[in-house]
Amino acid sequence: MTSRVVEPLVVARVIGEVVDSFNPSVKMNVIYNGSNQVFNGHEIMPAVIAAKPRVEIGGEDMRSAYTLIMTDPDVPGPSDPYLREHLHWIVTDIPGSTDASFGREIVSYESPKPVIGIHRYVFLLYKQSGRQTVEPAATRDHFNTRRFTAENGLGSPVAAVYFNAQRETAARRR
């Protein structure tokens, strides 16, 4: 079960470039506009991702608290991501078995606007050791998931999923 979940993250270099290898242990569904579920490697049009998604979280029970991070490791473009990473969203204190709207949004959702090439947008879920333990990131630019999670004692992710998006050209909008 684990290898099927993790393999696309390895192939897409999410594991390696953004996070170290981990064993997923919590179910997470990311759904845009009520019906567009995020699956690893699928492409979603920028118009669909303008508003923040609903993020449903499994977990043992509501006493558990989780942190959700959304990041883009391909800034400004995937061939030369020298600004890696750009932070798009952080929600903390999400009770297990609920969704992110029950958490505390400490970095507001910024809709992806890829300019050059196909970008990966990565959702990572971490189990917190307690509530109110995660501090907001200082900046969205040059965000580093590993450093942020280490500074906030979050350990390894318990779930991850990513999608691809690229700028919509006039031809693709038709």
Side-chain angles (χ1 to χ4, degrees):
M1 142 79 188
T2 305
S3 63
R4 277 205 322 267
V5 176
V6 172
E7 190 176 347
L9 298 169
V10 172
V11 171
R13 298 185 320 281
V14 169
I15 291 177
E17 292 178 2
V18 182
V19 294
D20 296 324
S21 193
F22 69 98
N23 291 319
S25 58
V26 174
K27 189 169 170 49
M28 174 175 68
N29 292 316
V30 179
I31 302 145
Y32 278 98
N33 292 343
S35 62
N36 295 301
Q37 183 163 349
V38 173
F39 294 102
N40 283 323
H42 288 206
E43 184 171 345
I44 302 179
M45 296 296 164
V48 173
I49 54 181
K52 66 182 157 190
R54 177 179 168 86
V55 181
E56 300 166 342
I57 292 164
E60 304 87 63
D61 56 49
M62 292 180 70
R63 289 188 303 269
S64 304
Y66 295 90
T67 291
L68 174 72
I69 297 171
M70 179 187 179
T71 183
D72 173 359
D74 298 319
V75 182
S79 60
D80 184 19
Y82 64 90
L83 297 175
R84 167 179 302 159
E85 301 163 38
H86 185 79
L87 176 64
H88 281 273
W89 198 26
I90 298 180
V91 183
T92 65
D93 300 331
I94 306 166
S97 72
T98 66
D99 69 75
S101 68
F102 290 93
R104 211 165 51 101
E105 190 176 68
I106 61 171
V107 176
S108 63
Y109 182 80
E110 179 183 280
S111 57
K113 293 181 178 63
V115 178
I116 307 165
I118 299 171
H119 288 240
R120 296 166 294 166
Y121 293 94
V122 184
F123 291 91
L124 297 156
L125 188 68
Y126 295 85
K127 186 169 183 183
Q128 296 171 216
S129 55
R131 296 194 189 280
Q132 310 272 321
T133 56
V134 179
E135 296 297 318
T139 174
R140 290 180 187 267
D141 296 320
H142 299 285
F143 182 74
N144 183 303
T145 299
R146 283 186 182 94
R147 185 174 58 235
F148 179 82
T149 55
E151 287 168 357
N152 286 282
L154 292 170
S156 294
V158 294
V161 67
Y162 83 99
F163 68 90
N164 295 319
Q166 60 186 309
R167 199 172 110 212
E168 288 185 64
T169 61
R172 294 188 64 205
R173 272 190 230 117
R174 278 191 213 117

